[in-house]
Amino acid sequence: MNESFKPRDHLFGLALAGGYVMWLLRTARTLGFARDEGFYFRAASDYARWFSLLFSEPMRAVQQASIDPIWTSNHEHPALMKSLFALSWMFLHEKHHVFTDASTAFRFPGMLMSGLAVYVTYLFAARLFSVRAGIVAGALLALMPNVFYHAHLACFDAPIMAMWAACIYVYWRSVVRGGLGSAILAGVMFGLTLETKHNAWILPAVFVPHALIVLWPKLREPLRQGILPIPANLLAMATIGPLVFYTLWPWIWNDTIPRLQEYVNFHVHHEYYNMEFLGKNYYGPPSPPLYAPIMIAATVPAITLVLFAGGFLASLRAVLTRLRDLIVSEWRRVPPRANGAEAELLLLLAFVMPLAPFFLPKTPIFGGTKHWMTAYPFLAVFAGKAFEVAARWLEHLLAHRPARMQKLAFAGFSIAVLAAPVAVTAHSHPFGLSAYTPLVGGTAGGADLGLNRQFWGFTTQSLAPYFERAPRNASVFIHDTAWDSWARMLDERRLRPDLRAVGAPHDAMYSIVHHELHMAEVDYAAWVAYGHVAPDFVLTHDGVPIVSVYKR
Amino acid sequence: MPVWARWGVALLCLVGVWELAAHVWQVTHVPSDGDWAAARKVVEGKLKPTDLVLFAPGWSEPLGREHFGDRIASIERMARPDESRFLRAIEVSMRGATRGEIAGWPVIESERIGPFTVRIAENPHPVPVKDDLVTRVQPERMTLARVDGEAVSECAWTRSQVQSGGLGAGPAVPEYRFMCPSGGFAGVTVMSPSDYSARRCIYVPPAGGATVMRLTFRDVAFGKILTGHHTIYVEADYAGNHGTPVVLAFSSRGQSLGKFTRRDGQGWTPFETDTRDLDGQTADLVAEVSSGSAHRRVYCFEASTR
């Protein structure tokens, strides 16, 4: 525990988070819209109508006749982020014109959430280890190409990463500080996390084992008497959490049970999507056990991974030592502390639990790394811990050298750690899902290995310069681009607004093909439709085909 | 502080600097349009009509097709049934990659052109084609009939709109095709079997039940064997063997030449039959396609005499 953490140290984390949000805003215009964003733009636009009604006629707004026609839109996901997208659009685009692009207003809450993830990562590492560990941890989270990509989007993956970390942070603080207020805050936070995305339902697997170990001495005696004492924070999460979940989601205000059943069934029986891994297309479970480890190794910068390995192993060792104490009944001599190895146990659980489902035989692998991104803040915290240890070694090694030399050495060490993640992440834009790290040979190395090139058709906008020379009103088969995403790109003049989208290559003057293994049939359909196999243009990232364009 | 601490710090610095240097190298060593043009010029000078052209690694093929064009990267080469018909292969390779299809073919020439290596490999066991049924899908050289018991309906050669779509739409229905009055068609398409390779073939979905789609190829030049492949579109090719098998039966002069059953989950399935009795002769060849059910039987075949 870093006892020297002061209130003003929050400023470092806030600056880091603010800088990240600014970077996201500056690069948002050059990133095209992903498939799912198209769906959420539409849902948020629908919800905005309801919020308008709520502000003008609240009594009418809460009636089922007003709720159902609007909130049926995209009701397979809870409401928090889409509500924020809607409110951001209403106030920051429509009313106050803060953002010129409607899409940036829709995306802004997701960007703020990404900033929150950086801030909470900083806080964890800064409070547990040191401020500089916090700064490096926050920066290393921000400097992961896949995180940087998702952080731009009006989707739920970066927000659930942020809320997962924030909820665990609030829970931890409630353990450290105790008291009813912090317990209630934990309950509210859990409800907000449930309202963000369904990953939150895994959180009890983090909290319950942690609470059992930390509170074991207090629980032992009541348990002997047949009483099951439930800690206030867990009780708050079990009660206030679902209440917040219910309150913020108008769709489930009516016909609650069947609609909740539908929500659960949608995710339990989610349709499978195709995903390439090591040159093979997977279309459903079982998930290859190496999928998550290899994808992490291929998408997280190597220096981050090396630091993480050091920090993780050190924490694991500390935690195992404490658990051994528990087993040999020395717990009474060294009572559990919320801030020692017990806090690191929380970090371990928070890192492991999001990854655990991907080692189960029934978990499909669609969605790539975004489905375990909730583990990444903790990966970065472990990296921050290792950085702090190494920085102390460096200080010790140079203890007898002049102060100026010590400062230079530390600066050099910090640059050595951060330079590659900065370069790799900045270069990955706007091809974040296609980019792989130098460890596997970059984007071309990822292609050599047969790793997924992209999904969601988000690269369409990068064809804008090519389509500048297309004839007026040219028709384009838009392949994996969602119709709503295409329409918004035209609305915002990211693509030439006279271009016309069509649903089949044979109807189009141009056909685009997003390169993914299972999309090969679309390539071949274009060959047959146009009678030739040569694309007119191939969009590449580092020499690797991303999108082919065929011209009639 | 552990004694190896200094090495720990040095290791971290080394990893960080290596990663940055590797990144810079990787993003700056990418073939340019000029490199592709230079490789094309070399290949053009060496190419023979009986040569296969390959791009390695396989993911570079869209760029190869873009830069080499349809004459060199032709549909016959890009959507070939297999490599056996080609006498040589010209492989345009980068990043030290080679294509598995020609593993074991002796390399007779190799030339470095910028980031590319152009290799010529000789097919150790070429099997030249005498007659390719895929090239015979035209009214002068083939007929299609739908046979429902005693009723035989001739199918007309038509020029219609291509029918294509996005993911899940299946192979494109070609512009020129035989169309049967009571349903069914045959035409040349490019199919995606379960390995997602491009395969040019005769798209002739079975009509189901006892109905037979009968393709009669006129005046086929026979050799010692009739060889080919058949498949079902990847998204209809259930690995669990749930679909109804498709039967492809060949005959000539009233004599059966072989019957091949395509079951689900078999990918791009090869078949071969002995035609030595007809070697050197010219005769009509009948191919009959049938299946107990038409449900998701998005079927095609290719065959050639050798």
Side-chain angles (χ1 to χ4, degrees):
Chain A
M1 181 74 176
N2 174 20
E3 303 293 348
S4 64
F5 186 86
K6 299 175 186 65
R8 70 161 190 265
D9 290 335
H10 280 280
L11 292 176
F12 292 108
L14 290 170
L16 201 59
Y20 195 50
V21 175
M22 291 306 293
W23 189 20
L24 295 169
L25 282 170
R26 281 184 65 86
T27 47
R29 175 82 191 171
T30 47
L31 182 65
F33 304 132
R35 264 189 92 71
D36 282 19
E37 279 193 295
F39 307 140
Y40 304 145
F41 290 156
R42 175 168 290 274
S45 303
D46 291 339
Y47 298 177
R49 285 190 289 121
W50 186 81
F51 281 112
S52 296
L53 187 66
L54 183 70
F55 299 146
S56 58
E57 296 177 69
M59 293 314 289
R60 214 180 115 209
V62 298
Q63 290 170 9
Q64 185 166 6
S66 303
I67 291 169
D68 282 4
I70 287 174
W71 287 90
T72 189
S73 176
N74 196 251
H75 64 260
E76 59 268 29
H77 291 291
L80 179 63
M81 289 316 299
K82 285 172 288 180
S83 299
L84 293 176
F85 300 159
L87 292 167
S88 172
W89 175 74
M90 289 167 70
F91 290 103
L92 301 180
H93 180 262
E94 294 291 289
K95 190 170 180 187
H96 297 297
H97 310 293
V98 174
F99 298 120
T100 312
D101 289 340
S103 62
T104 307
F106 283 126
R107 284 173 161 182
F108 188 56
M111 294 180 191
L112 287 179
M113 282 290 192
S114 304
L116 175 69
V118 169
Y119 174 59
V120 173
T121 302
Y122 161 83
L123 276 184
F124 255 123
R127 281 193 180 278
L128 279 171
F129 310 118
S130 71
V131 166
R132 64 187 176 191
I135 292 171
V136 168
L140 291 179
L141 174 68
L143 297 172
M144 297 181 190
N146 282 7
V147 169
F148 185 62
Y149 167 73
H150 289 290
H152 284 88
L153 306 185
C155 289
F156 315 136
D157 302 295
I160 189 60
M161 175 181 76
M163 292 301 288
W164 174 276
C167 188
I168 291 170
Y169 181 79
V170 171
Y171 160 80
W172 175 53
R173 298 303 293 163
S174 76
V175 174
V176 172
R177 296 158 105 171
L180 188 61
S182 61
I184 290 172
L185 188 61
V188 171
M189 199 65 195
F190 181 57
L192 292 172
T193 312
L194 290 175
E195 193 62 33
T196 304
K197 204 182 172 191
H198 58 272
N199 306 48
W201 295 100
I202 305 174
L203 274 170
V206 176
F207 298 140
V208 173
H210 181 262
L212 275 175
I213 289 169
V214 171
L215 300 173
W216 179 246
K218 291 181 189 169
L219 297 177
R220 200 164 35 184
E221 196 52 39
L223 279 173
R224 275 194 196 131
Q225 295 169 14
I227 302 166
L228 178 66
I230 301 175
N233 50 12
L234 292 190
L235 189 64
M237 284 193 262
T239 52
I240 299 172
L243 198 64
V244 171
F245 177 71
Y246 173 84
T247 306
L248 292 181
W249 194 3
W251 174 247
I252 57 170
W253 290 353
N254 303 291
D255 301 328
T256 304
I257 298 299
R259 288 180 183 185
L260 281 175
Q261 277 174 342
E262 190 189 356
Y263 165 64
V264 171
N265 284 336
F266 178 85
H267 294 288
V268 172
H269 306 292
H270 197 293
E271 65 173 301
Y272 300 131
Y273 300 139
N274 296 275
M275 182 60 68
E276 184 183 5
F277 178 58
L278 299 180
K280 184 180 169 187
N281 186 63
Y282 286 84
Y283 187 64
S287 177
L290 283 176
Y291 183 61
I294 287 183
M295 286 303 289
I296 291 171
T299 57
V300 176
I303 183 67
T304 308
L305 290 173
V306 171
L307 284 166
F308 155 74
F312 181 84
L313 290 173
S315 289
L316 186 63
R317 190 175 164 205
V319 168
L320 290 176
T321 306
R322 287 295 287 144
L323 289 177
R324 189 193 59 197
D325 291 348
L326 171 68
I327 291 163
V328 298
S329 298
E330 290 185 355
W331 207 258
R332 268 164 293 183
R333 275 196 284 139
V334 190
R337 294 157 294 142
N339 294 332
E342 290 73 10
E344 299 192 50
L345 169 68
L346 184 63
L347 298 182
L348 289 173
L349 289 166
F351 172 76
V352 168
M353 288 306 165
L355 286 163
F358 294 91
F359 294 91
L360 300 175
K362 289 199 170 178
T363 310
I365 64 172
F366 66 81
T369 58
K370 75 187 180 80
H371 286 165
W372 63 72
M373 239 163 53
T374 40
Y376 286 176
F378 301 93
L379 187 155
V381 171
F382 288 122
K385 175 182 178 173
F387 178 86
E388 173 59 24
V389 171
R392 284 184 192 168
W393 288 346
L394 189 64
E395 285 166 354
H396 186 84
L397 288 167
L398 301 176
H400 304 295
R401 303 294 175 119
R404 183 180 157 79
M405 190 179 173
Q406 288 181 33
K407 282 181 184 167
L408 274 175
F410 179 72
F413 176 56
S414 302
I415 290 169
V417 166
L418 293 172
V422 168
V424 168
T425 304
H427 180 76
S428 71
H429 186 78
F431 298 102
L433 293 182
S434 308
Y436 289 91
T437 56
L439 184 65
V440 296
T443 303
D448 285 342
L449 283 172
L451 301 179
N452 174 257
R453 195 81 50 84
Q454 64 192 310
F455 57 90
W456 277 347
F458 72 99
T459 45
T460 306
Q461 188 190 311
S462 299
L463 294 169
Y466 171 82
F467 281 120
E468 280 302 312
R469 58 176 193 262
R472 194 160 173 72
N473 301 319
S475 53
V476 183
F477 166 63
I478 60 173
H479 188 190
D480 205 26
T481 323
W483 293 91
D484 287 330
S485 302
W486 172 268
R488 190 156 296 284
M489 284 192 277
L490 265 53
D491 286 347
E492 295 183 0
R493 296 182 179 273
R494 291 161 174 255
L495 285 167
R496 241 180 47 193
D498 61 289
L499 296 172
R500 291 181 302 114
V502 296
H506 66 261
D507 285 332
M509 179 179 286
Y510 295 92
S511 280
I512 68 174
V513 177
H514 297 97
H515 287 294
E516 278 188 76
L517 180 59
H518 70 285
M519 300 287 193
E521 64 169 280
V522 186
D523 230 330
Y524 311 152
W527 297 1
V528 176
Y530 298 157
H532 59 81
V533 301
D536 193 47
F537 175 67
V538 180
L539 175 73
T540 60
H541 182 236
D542 294 343
V544 177
I546 305 295
V547 185
S548 284
V549 186
Y550 294 92
K551 186 179 177 188
R552 185 178 291 280
Chain B
M1 191 181 79
V3 286
W4 43 268
R6 70 179 67 216
W7 298 111
V9 175
L11 175 73
L12 288 171
C13 291
L14 203 65
V15 171
V17 171
W18 167 82
E19 188 167 36
L20 183 64
H23 170 70
V24 171
W25 194 91
Q26 286 160 7
V27 303
T28 50
H29 286 70
V30 171
S32 64
D33 287 353
D35 293 328
W36 278 102
R40 177 193 164 127
K41 198 172 172 189
V42 169
V43 171
E44 260 179 330
K46 298 175 187 295
L47 187 68
K48 295 177 183 172
T50 50
D51 286 344
L52 169 64
V53 175
L54 290 168
F55 301 96
W59 56 256
S60 68
E61 194 189 291
L63 288 162
R65 284 186 274 109
E66 179 197 14
H67 290 283
F68 281 49
D70 279 86
R71 202 176 58 75
I72 298 172
S74 63
I75 194 162
E76 291 81 6
R77 292 179 173 123
M78 298 298 107
R80 62 195 173 278
D82 59 26
E83 292 71 39
S84 63
R85 65 182 61 197
F86 298 101
L87 302 184
R88 308 187 309 172
I90 301 182
E91 184 186 51
V92 182
S93 160
M94 59 177 176
R95 302 173 58 79
T98 56
R99 291 288 290 258
E101 295 95 318
I102 55 167
W105 291 24
V107 175
I108 56 170
E109 199 180 320
S110 181
E111 185 179 342
R112 183 99 190 161
I113 303 139
F116 297 105
T117 302
V118 174
R119 276 188 285 267
I120 301 180
E122 226 168 34
N123 186 348
H125 308 292
V127 191
V129 171
K130 290 192 101 170
D131 222 330
D132 185 344
L133 300 191
V134 174
T135 64
R136 290 180 148 267
V137 182
Q138 42 190 292
E140 303 80 23
R141 310 182 74 189
M142 182 196 128
T143 60
L144 174 69
R146 178 179 162 134
V147 183
D148 295 287
E150 295 297 309
V152 178
S153 336
E154 289 299 324
C155 307
W157 178 250
T158 60
R159 182 184 180 186
S160 310
Q161 173 75 286
V162 175
Q163 291 173 18
S164 60
L167 181 67
V173 178
E175 181 180 5
Y176 290 96
R177 56 189 186 256
F178 290 95
M179 295 276 284
C180 306
S182 50
F185 68 89
V188 176
T189 193
V190 179
M191 181 74 97
S192 176
S194 55
D195 64 352
Y196 300 98
S197 57
R199 301 298 182 186
R200 193 161 170 254
C201 53
I202 303 170
Y203 184 11
V204 51
T211 304
V212 171
M213 302 299 286
R214 180 182 294 157
L215 299 86
T216 305
F217 300 92
R218 293 195 192 113
D219 302 327
V220 173
F222 279 90
K224 291 185 173 59
I225 55 168
L226 173 68
T227 181
H229 299 80
H230 53 167
T231 194
I232 287 170
Y233 161 60
V234 54
E235 295 212 6
D237 195 14
Y238 307 104
N241 209 14
H242 301 307
T244 314
V246 180
V247 177
L248 172 65
F250 287 102
S251 62
S252 184
R253 295 176 178 163
Q255 297 291 311
S256 170
L257 294 176
K259 189 185 270 191
F260 306 99
T261 302
R262 172 57 169 73
R263 298 180 198 284
D264 275 6
Q266 294 178 332
W268 182 239
T269 316
F271 59 79
E272 187 174 306
T273 187
D274 192 328
T275 56
R276 272 178 293 190
D277 291 348
L278 295 166
D279 188 16
Q281 299 178 39
T282 299
D284 287 358
L285 172 64
V286 176
E288 292 185 332
V289 177
S290 61
S291 176
S293 166
H295 178 63
R296 302 207 78 191
R297 301 297 79 189
V298 187
Y299 172 85
C300 84
F301 76 95
E302 70 79 28
S304 57
T305 58
R306 310 281 183 108

